[in-house]
Amino acid sequence: MRADEQRPPTEYDRWMHRLMNRREAAPFHATAARRRTMVTVHVALTAVAVALWLCSAVGDERWATFSVLGLLLPWCFVTGVINSSTRGLLDLRVRALDERQRAERSRVAATAQRVMLWLLLAVTVAAGAATVNSVDVEGFLFPVLFTVFVIHWLMPLWVAGLAVEDEPADEAFDEFAGAVDAR
């Protein structure tokens, strides 16, 4: 066990735990189909944002910059829903997680690493095939590397969002929440 895992949770850890365990977003991720939909929407929003940003950066198109800004709010909302569905699995410090969550976090990281390994292999094979066929890949280098970087950054979130299981109906919590709301 690492030293930071042994330290007691701080006020920040408790605040983040409360934030990640709020129930307001529960209707958006209550079922596996809704979680898959949210992850799919997040992947689509990310793909469009990356394409627009590359159009802005490489193509020098000013309209694309404003389009990226327009996608920012829905992208952040869907990111929050996925984080809420995982109960902050990737955002909370290790010392704020229980043993089951630590194991789940390790499984998510391992799965995301395997998926990225295959993606990097595919990109490498494609670049090698293009080079063998005398295709100039220099113009594609930055866009492909940037896209792979973004996918690498977000893959654990997507894997965690897809790996979360349905929560059992917690009648005791619902009764407690109803009693608190009645005050």
Side-chain angles (χ1 to χ4, degrees), residues 91-130:
D91 293 325
L92 295 174
R93 294 179 187 169
V94 174
R95 64 180 167 215
L97 301 175
D98 61 23
E99 291 170 11
R100 180 195 57 78
Q101 291 170 316
R102 289 178 187 168
E104 181 64 24
R105 188 177 190 164
S106 294
R107 277 192 299 274
V108 165
T111 303
Q113 182 181 10
R114 280 193 301 274
V115 171
M116 281 307 301
L117 176 71
W118 287 107
L119 176 65
L120 288 171
L121 177 65
V123 169
T124 304
V125 167

mmCIF file of all heavy atoms in Angstrom, residues 91-130:
data_model
loop_
_atom_site.group_PDB
_atom_site.id
_atom_site.type_symbol
_atom_site.label_atom_id
_atom_site.label_comp_id
_atom_site.label_asym_id
_atom_site.label_seq_id
_atom_site.Cartn_x
_atom_site.Cartn_y
_atom_site.Cartn_z
ATOM 1 N N ASP A 91 -11.950 10.054 -10.627
ATOM 2 C CA ASP A 91 -11.656 11.406 -10.169
ATOM 3 C C ASP A 91 -11.281 11.484 -8.696
ATOM 4 O O ASP A 91 -10.626 12.430 -8.276
ATOM 5 C CB ASP A 91 -12.847 12.325 -10.435
ATOM 6 C CG ASP A 91 -13.061 12.524 -11.917
ATOM 7 O OD1 ASP A 91 -12.063 12.562 -12.634
ATOM 8 O OD2 ASP A 91 -14.221 12.630 -12.341
ATOM 9 N N LEU A 92 -11.720 10.526 -7.913
ATOM 10 C CA LEU A 92 -11.403 10.540 -6.492
ATOM 11 C C LEU A 92 -9.980 10.028 -6.269
ATOM 12 O O LEU A 92 -9.486 9.195 -7.018
ATOM 13 C CB LEU A 92 -12.385 9.667 -5.715
ATOM 14 C CG LEU A 92 -13.834 10.136 -5.721
ATOM 15 C CD1 LEU A 92 -14.719 9.106 -5.041
ATOM 16 C CD2 LEU A 92 -13.969 11.477 -5.048
ATOM 17 N N ARG A 93 -9.350 10.550 -5.231
ATOM 18 C CA ARG A 93 -8.026 10.053 -4.871
ATOM 19 C C ARG A 93 -8.152 8.615 -4.388
ATOM 20 O O ARG A 93 -9.196 8.187 -3.884
ATOM 21 C CB ARG A 93 -7.422 10.905 -3.766
ATOM 22 C CG ARG A 93 -7.132 12.310 -4.205
ATOM 23 C CD ARG A 93 -6.565 13.072 -3.038
ATOM 24 N NE ARG A 93 -6.414 14.479 -3.363
ATOM 25 C CZ ARG A 93 -6.130 15.405 -2.464
ATOM 26 N NH1 ARG A 93 -5.976 15.083 -1.202
ATOM 27 N NH2 ARG A 93 -5.997 16.658 -2.837
ATOM 28 N N VAL A 94 -7.063 7.876 -4.505
ATOM 29 C CA VAL A 94 -7.076 6.465 -4.134
ATOM 30 C C VAL A 94 -7.465 6.287 -2.672
ATOM 31 O O VAL A 94 -8.198 5.363 -2.317
ATOM 32 C CB VAL A 94 -5.696 5.825 -4.416
ATOM 33 C CG1 VAL A 94 -5.631 4.403 -3.910
ATOM 34 C CG2 VAL A 94 -5.402 5.873 -5.903
ATOM 35 N N ARG A 95 -7.024 7.186 -1.806
ATOM 36 C CA ARG A 95 -7.326 7.036 -0.378
ATOM 37 C C ARG A 95 -8.807 7.238 -0.069
ATOM 38 O O ARG A 95 -9.271 6.874 1.001
ATOM 39 C CB ARG A 95 -6.476 7.986 0.450
ATOM 40 C CG ARG A 95 -6.754 9.441 0.194
ATOM 41 C CD ARG A 95 -5.867 10.310 1.066
ATOM 42 N NE ARG A 95 -5.901 11.680 0.609
ATOM 43 C CZ ARG A 95 -4.874 12.480 0.662
ATOM 44 N NH1 ARG A 95 -3.735 12.052 1.132
ATOM 45 N NH2 ARG A 95 -4.971 13.713 0.245
ATOM 46 N N ALA A 96 -9.561 7.811 -0.998
ATOM 47 C CA ALA A 96 -10.994 8.010 -0.784
ATOM 48 C C ALA A 96 -11.820 6.838 -1.312
ATOM 49 O O ALA A 96 -13.036 6.826 -1.154
ATOM 50 C CB ALA A 96 -11.446 9.298 -1.458
ATOM 51 N N LEU A 97 -11.172 5.854 -1.921
ATOM 52 C CA LEU A 97 -11.865 4.701 -2.484
ATOM 53 C C LEU A 97 -11.770 3.513 -1.542
ATOM 54 O O LEU A 97 -10.775 3.338 -0.847
ATOM 55 C CB LEU A 97 -11.245 4.325 -3.835
ATOM 56 C CG LEU A 97 -11.259 5.392 -4.923
ATOM 57 C CD1 LEU A 97 -10.495 4.886 -6.138
ATOM 58 C CD2 LEU A 97 -12.668 5.794 -5.297
ATOM 59 N N ASP A 98 -12.811 2.675 -1.568
ATOM 60 C CA ASP A 98 -12.720 1.437 -0.803
ATOM 61 C C ASP A 98 -12.002 0.385 -1.657
ATOM 62 O O ASP A 98 -11.656 0.638 -2.809
ATOM 63 C CB ASP A 98 -14.098 0.965 -0.332
ATOM 64 C CG ASP A 98 -15.062 0.677 -1.467
ATOM 65 O OD1 ASP A 98 -14.597 0.407 -2.596
ATOM 66 O OD2 ASP A 98 -16.278 0.713 -1.237
ATOM 67 N N GLU A 99 -11.790 -0.790 -1.108
ATOM 68 C CA GLU A 99 -11.013 -1.820 -1.801
ATOM 69 C C GLU A 99 -11.691 -2.275 -3.086
ATOM 70 O O GLU A 99 -11.025 -2.539 -4.094
ATOM 71 C CB GLU A 99 -10.778 -3.004 -0.864
ATOM 72 C CG GLU A 99 -9.838 -2.652 0.270
ATOM 73 C CD GLU A 99 -9.783 -3.727 1.335
ATOM 74 O OE1 GLU A 99 -10.312 -4.833 1.114
ATOM 75 O OE2 GLU A 99 -9.206 -3.444 2.392
ATOM 76 N N ARG A 100 -13.012 -2.376 -3.070
ATOM 77 C CA ARG A 100 -13.733 -2.780 -4.280
ATOM 78 C C ARG A 100 -13.539 -1.750 -5.380
ATOM 79 O O ARG A 100 -13.309 -2.091 -6.536
ATOM 80 C CB ARG A 100 -15.225 -2.951 -3.968
ATOM 81 C CG ARG A 100 -16.058 -3.374 -5.172
ATOM 82 C CD ARG A 100 -17.541 -3.180 -4.905
ATOM 83 N NE ARG A 100 -17.920 -1.837 -4.557
ATOM 84 C CZ ARG A 100 -18.052 -0.828 -5.440
ATOM 85 N NH1 ARG A 100 -17.817 -1.019 -6.705
ATOM 86 N NH2 ARG A 100 -18.426 0.367 -5.032
ATOM 87 N N GLN A 101 -13.619 -0.457 -5.024
ATOM 88 C CA GLN A 101 -13.442 0.605 -6.007
ATOM 89 C C GLN A 101 -12.009 0.648 -6.529
ATOM 90 O O GLN A 101 -11.791 0.925 -7.707
ATOM 91 C CB GLN A 101 -13.820 1.954 -5.401
ATOM 92 C CG GLN A 101 -15.296 2.095 -5.135
ATOM 93 C CD GLN A 101 -15.613 3.324 -4.310
ATOM 94 O OE1 GLN A 101 -14.928 3.622 -3.327
ATOM 95 N NE2 GLN A 101 -16.647 4.044 -4.711
ATOM 96 N N ARG A 102 -11.048 0.374 -5.657
ATOM 97 C CA ARG A 102 -9.648 0.326 -6.104
ATOM 98 C C ARG A 102 -9.446 -0.789 -7.123
ATOM 99 O O ARG A 102 -8.758 -0.612 -8.124
ATOM 100 C CB ARG A 102 -8.713 0.118 -4.916
ATOM 101 C CG ARG A 102 -8.610 1.328 -4.032
ATOM 102 C CD ARG A 102 -7.723 1.062 -2.848
ATOM 103 N NE ARG A 102 -7.777 2.191 -1.932
ATOM 104 C CZ ARG A 102 -7.295 2.178 -0.721
ATOM 105 N NH1 ARG A 102 -6.685 1.102 -0.254
ATOM 106 N NH2 ARG A 102 -7.392 3.242 0.044
ATOM 107 N N ALA A 103 -10.042 -1.925 -6.859
ATOM 108 C CA ALA A 103 -9.934 -3.045 -7.801
ATOM 109 C C ALA A 103 -10.615 -2.701 -9.122
ATOM 110 O O ALA A 103 -10.079 -2.992 -10.198
ATOM 111 C CB ALA A 103 -10.539 -4.304 -7.196
ATOM 112 N N GLU A 104 -11.785 -2.083 -9.042
ATOM 113 C CA GLU A 104 -12.494 -1.675 -10.258
ATOM 114 C C GLU A 104 -11.686 -0.655 -11.037
ATOM 115 O O GLU A 104 -11.605 -0.719 -12.265
ATOM 116 C CB GLU A 104 -13.867 -1.102 -9.901
ATOM 117 C CG GLU A 104 -14.697 -0.680 -11.093
ATOM 118 C CD GLU A 104 -15.080 -1.826 -12.010
ATOM 119 O OE1 GLU A 104 -15.121 -2.981 -11.558
ATOM 120 O OE2 GLU A 104 -15.333 -1.559 -13.198
ATOM 121 N N ARG A 105 -11.065 0.282 -10.351
ATOM 122 C CA ARG A 105 -10.228 1.292 -11.003
ATOM 123 C C ARG A 105 -9.055 0.634 -11.724
ATOM 124 O O ARG A 105 -8.711 1.009 -12.845
ATOM 125 C CB ARG A 105 -9.732 2.281 -9.956
ATOM 126 C CG ARG A 105 -9.013 3.466 -10.497
ATOM 127 C CD ARG A 105 -8.661 4.379 -9.345
ATOM 128 N NE ARG A 105 -8.168 5.651 -9.797
ATOM 129 C CZ ARG A 105 -8.072 6.713 -9.055
ATOM 130 N NH1 ARG A 105 -8.461 6.674 -7.791
ATOM 131 N NH2 ARG A 105 -7.600 7.824 -9.526
ATOM 132 N N SER A 106 -8.463 -0.371 -11.100
ATOM 133 C CA SER A 106 -7.360 -1.099 -11.738
ATOM 134 C C SER A 106 -7.843 -1.855 -12.973
ATOM 135 O O SER A 106 -7.160 -1.885 -14.003
ATOM 136 C CB SER A 106 -6.723 -2.076 -10.745
ATOM 137 O OG SER A 106 -6.098 -1.381 -9.709
ATOM 138 N N ARG A 107 -9.022 -2.482 -12.884
ATOM 139 C CA ARG A 107 -9.581 -3.190 -14.047
ATOM 140 C C ARG A 107 -9.858 -2.229 -15.189
ATOM 141 O O ARG A 107 -9.566 -2.528 -16.353
ATOM 142 C CB ARG A 107 -10.862 -3.917 -13.655
ATOM 143 C CG ARG A 107 -10.646 -5.265 -13.019
ATOM 144 C CD ARG A 107 -11.940 -6.064 -12.928
ATOM 145 N NE ARG A 107 -12.964 -5.408 -12.123
ATOM 146 C CZ ARG A 107 -13.064 -5.512 -10.806
ATOM 147 N NH1 ARG A 107 -12.204 -6.241 -10.135
ATOM 148 N NH2 ARG A 107 -14.029 -4.897 -10.153
ATOM 149 N N VAL A 108 -10.422 -1.063 -14.870
ATOM 150 C CA VAL A 108 -10.713 -0.071 -15.902
ATOM 151 C C VAL A 108 -9.421 0.399 -16.562
ATOM 152 O O VAL A 108 -9.335 0.504 -17.792
ATOM 153 C CB VAL A 108 -11.501 1.121 -15.305
ATOM 154 C CG1 VAL A 108 -11.495 2.316 -16.228
ATOM 155 C CG2 VAL A 108 -12.930 0.698 -15.002
ATOM 156 N N ALA A 109 -8.400 0.666 -15.752
ATOM 157 C CA ALA A 109 -7.121 1.123 -16.307
ATOM 158 C C ALA A 109 -6.498 0.051 -17.201
ATOM 159 O O ALA A 109 -5.967 0.363 -18.280
ATOM 160 C CB ALA A 109 -6.167 1.495 -15.176
ATOM 161 N N ALA A 110 -6.561 -1.203 -16.784
ATOM 162 C CA ALA A 110 -5.991 -2.288 -17.583
ATOM 163 C C ALA A 110 -6.745 -2.455 -18.903
ATOM 164 O O ALA A 110 -6.129 -2.635 -19.962
ATOM 165 C CB ALA A 110 -6.006 -3.590 -16.789
ATOM 166 N N THR A 111 -8.066 -2.385 -18.851
ATOM 167 C CA THR A 111 -8.863 -2.509 -20.078
ATOM 168 C C THR A 111 -8.595 -1.345 -21.023
ATOM 169 O O THR A 111 -8.426 -1.537 -22.232
ATOM 170 C CB THR A 111 -10.366 -2.587 -19.744
ATOM 171 O OG1 THR A 111 -10.582 -3.686 -18.856
ATOM 172 C CG2 THR A 111 -11.208 -2.762 -20.991
ATOM 173 N N ALA A 112 -8.551 -0.133 -20.485
ATOM 174 C CA ALA A 112 -8.269 1.041 -21.323
ATOM 175 C C ALA A 112 -6.882 0.929 -21.943
ATOM 176 O O ALA A 112 -6.685 1.300 -23.111
ATOM 177 C CB ALA A 112 -8.379 2.315 -20.492
ATOM 178 N N GLN A 113 -5.921 0.402 -21.191
ATOM 179 C CA GLN A 113 -4.572 0.240 -21.725
ATOM 180 C C GLN A 113 -4.565 -0.770 -22.867
ATOM 181 O O GLN A 113 -3.907 -0.550 -23.893
ATOM 182 C CB GLN A 113 -3.624 -0.200 -20.622
ATOM 183 C CG GLN A 113 -2.189 -0.334 -21.093
ATOM 184 C CD GLN A 113 -1.258 -0.791 -20.003
ATOM 185 O OE1 GLN A 113 -1.690 -1.190 -18.929
ATOM 186 N NE2 GLN A 113 0.020 -0.735 -20.271
ATOM 187 N N ARG A 114 -5.295 -1.873 -22.724
ATOM 188 C CA ARG A 114 -5.359 -2.866 -23.802
ATOM 189 C C ARG A 114 -6.007 -2.295 -25.048
ATOM 190 O O ARG A 114 -5.535 -2.518 -26.172
ATOM 191 C CB ARG A 114 -6.106 -4.114 -23.334
ATOM 192 C CG ARG A 114 -5.269 -5.049 -22.514
ATOM 193 C CD ARG A 114 -5.954 -6.399 -22.341
ATOM 194 N NE ARG A 114 -7.253 -6.311 -21.686
ATOM 195 C CZ ARG A 114 -7.425 -6.311 -20.378
ATOM 196 N NH1 ARG A 114 -6.406 -6.380 -19.574
ATOM 197 N NH2 ARG A 114 -8.646 -6.246 -19.872
ATOM 198 N N VAL A 115 -7.091 -1.551 -24.872
ATOM 199 C CA VAL A 115 -7.766 -0.945 -26.028
ATOM 200 C C VAL A 115 -6.830 0.037 -26.724
ATOM 201 O O VAL A 115 -6.721 0.053 -27.958
ATOM 202 C CB VAL A 115 -9.078 -0.251 -25.591
ATOM 203 C CG1 VAL A 115 -9.670 0.563 -26.723
ATOM 204 C CG2 VAL A 115 -10.086 -1.282 -25.100
ATOM 205 N N MET A 116 -6.119 0.842 -25.941
ATOM 206 C CA MET A 116 -5.178 1.804 -26.532
ATOM 207 C C MET A 116 -4.022 1.098 -27.230
ATOM 208 O O MET A 116 -3.530 1.559 -28.261
ATOM 209 C CB MET A 116 -4.640 2.763 -25.469
ATOM 210 C CG MET A 116 -5.580 3.866 -25.107
ATOM 211 S SD MET A 116 -6.186 4.827 -26.518
ATOM 212 C CE MET A 116 -4.676 5.436 -27.226
ATOM 213 N N LEU A 117 -3.581 -0.026 -26.696
ATOM 214 C CA LEU A 117 -2.517 -0.791 -27.338
ATOM 215 C C LEU A 117 -2.940 -1.222 -28.732
ATOM 216 O O LEU A 117 -2.188 -1.054 -29.700
ATOM 217 C CB LEU A 117 -2.166 -2.013 -26.485
ATOM 218 C CG LEU A 117 -1.132 -2.958 -27.087
ATOM 219 C CD1 LEU A 117 0.239 -2.301 -27.057
ATOM 220 C CD2 LEU A 117 -1.126 -4.265 -26.335
ATOM 221 N N TRP A 118 -4.166 -1.734 -28.849
ATOM 222 C CA TRP A 118 -4.658 -2.160 -30.156
ATOM 223 C C TRP A 118 -4.863 -0.976 -31.095
ATOM 224 O O TRP A 118 -4.599 -1.079 -32.298
ATOM 225 C CB TRP A 118 -5.940 -2.980 -30.005
ATOM 226 C CG TRP A 118 -5.654 -4.335 -29.458
ATOM 227 C CD1 TRP A 118 -5.924 -4.773 -28.196
ATOM 228 C CD2 TRP A 118 -5.009 -5.413 -30.121
ATOM 229 N NE1 TRP A 118 -5.480 -6.059 -28.039
ATOM 230 C CE2 TRP A 118 -4.914 -6.489 -29.212
ATOM 231 C CE3 TRP A 118 -4.492 -5.582 -31.403
ATOM 232 C CZ2 TRP A 118 -4.341 -7.712 -29.536
ATOM 233 C CZ3 TRP A 118 -3.915 -6.802 -31.726
ATOM 234 C CH2 TRP A 118 -3.845 -7.840 -30.805
ATOM 235 N N LEU A 119 -5.324 0.144 -30.556
ATOM 236 C CA LEU A 119 -5.490 1.332 -31.381
ATOM 237 C C LEU A 119 -4.135 1.828 -31.895
ATOM 238 O O LEU A 119 -3.991 2.155 -33.075
ATOM 239 C CB LEU A 119 -6.187 2.445 -30.593
ATOM 240 C CG LEU A 119 -6.341 3.771 -31.325
ATOM 241 C CD1 LEU A 119 -7.272 3.621 -32.520
ATOM 242 C CD2 LEU A 119 -6.855 4.836 -30.381
ATOM 243 N N LEU A 120 -3.139 1.865 -31.024
ATOM 244 C CA LEU A 120 -1.803 2.289 -31.443
ATOM 245 C C LEU A 120 -1.205 1.321 -32.455
ATOM 246 O O LEU A 120 -0.521 1.747 -33.398
ATOM 247 C CB LEU A 120 -0.886 2.434 -30.236
ATOM 248 C CG LEU A 120 -1.177 3.625 -29.341
ATOM 249 C CD1 LEU A 120 -0.357 3.537 -28.064
ATOM 250 C CD2 LEU A 120 -0.898 4.923 -30.073
ATOM 251 N N LEU A 121 -1.458 0.038 -32.287
ATOM 252 C CA LEU A 121 -0.996 -0.939 -33.268
ATOM 253 C C LEU A 121 -1.646 -0.684 -34.624
ATOM 254 O O LEU A 121 -0.965 -0.709 -35.663
ATOM 255 C CB LEU A 121 -1.291 -2.364 -32.786
ATOM 256 C CG LEU A 121 -0.905 -3.476 -33.760
ATOM 257 C CD1 LEU A 121 0.599 -3.511 -33.960
ATOM 258 C CD2 LEU A 121 -1.423 -4.816 -33.274
ATOM 259 N N ALA A 122 -2.941 -0.411 -34.628
ATOM 260 C CA ALA A 122 -3.636 -0.138 -35.887
ATOM 261 C C ALA A 122 -3.095 1.122 -36.564
ATOM 262 O O ALA A 122 -2.887 1.145 -37.789
ATOM 263 C CB ALA A 122 -5.137 0.006 -35.633
ATOM 264 N N VAL A 123 -2.840 2.168 -35.782
ATOM 265 C CA VAL A 123 -2.292 3.405 -36.339
ATOM 266 C C VAL A 123 -0.887 3.162 -36.890
ATOM 267 O O VAL A 123 -0.528 3.653 -37.965
ATOM 268 C CB VAL A 123 -2.291 4.530 -35.274
ATOM 269 C CG1 VAL A 123 -1.482 5.722 -35.729
ATOM 270 C CG2 VAL A 123 -3.716 4.939 -34.953
ATOM 271 N N THR A 124 -0.094 2.382 -36.176
ATOM 272 C CA THR A 124 1.260 2.073 -36.632
ATOM 273 C C THR A 124 1.236 1.266 -37.921
ATOM 274 O O THR A 124 2.001 1.548 -38.859
ATOM 275 C CB THR A 124 2.022 1.303 -35.533
ATOM 276 O OG1 THR A 124 2.011 2.077 -34.339
ATOM 277 C CG2 THR A 124 3.445 1.006 -35.940
ATOM 278 N N VAL A 125 0.370 0.278 -37.990
ATOM 279 C CA VAL A 125 0.258 -0.533 -39.208
ATOM 280 C C VAL A 125 -0.210 0.333 -40.373
ATOM 281 O O VAL A 125 0.306 0.233 -41.487
ATOM 282 C CB VAL A 125 -0.682 -1.737 -38.977
ATOM 283 C CG1 VAL A 125 -1.062 -2.415 -40.283
ATOM 284 C CG2 VAL A 125 -0.039 -2.733 -38.017
ATOM 285 N N ALA A 126 -1.186 1.205 -40.127
ATOM 286 C CA ALA A 126 -1.678 2.088 -41.190
ATOM 287 C C ALA A 126 -0.575 3.028 -41.666
ATOM 288 O O ALA A 126 -0.416 3.258 -42.879
ATOM 289 C CB ALA A 126 -2.885 2.883 -40.695
ATOM 290 N N ALA A 127 0.202 3.589 -40.738
ATOM 291 C CA ALA A 127 1.302 4.477 -41.129
ATOM 292 C C ALA A 127 2.368 3.712 -41.889
ATOM 293 O O ALA A 127 2.923 4.219 -42.880
ATOM 294 C CB ALA A 127 1.903 5.138 -39.892
ATOM 295 N N GLY A 128 2.656 2.492 -41.453
ATOM 296 C CA GLY A 128 3.636 1.673 -42.173
ATOM 297 C C GLY A 128 3.160 1.320 -43.566
ATOM 298 O O GLY A 128 3.934 1.386 -44.533
ATOM 299 N N ALA A 129 1.883 0.969 -43.696
ATOM 300 C CA ALA A 129 1.332 0.647 -45.019
ATOM 301 C C ALA A 129 1.346 1.872 -45.926
ATOM 302 O O ALA A 129 1.645 1.765 -47.122
ATOM 303 C CB ALA A 129 -0.086 0.110 -44.875
ATOM 304 N N ALA A 130 1.044 3.032 -45.367
ATOM 305 C CA ALA A 130 1.071 4.253 -46.176
ATOM 306 C C ALA A 130 2.492 4.583 -46.629
ATOM 307 O O ALA A 130 2.710 5.007 -47.768
ATOM 308 C CB ALA A 130 0.494 5.417 -45.375
#
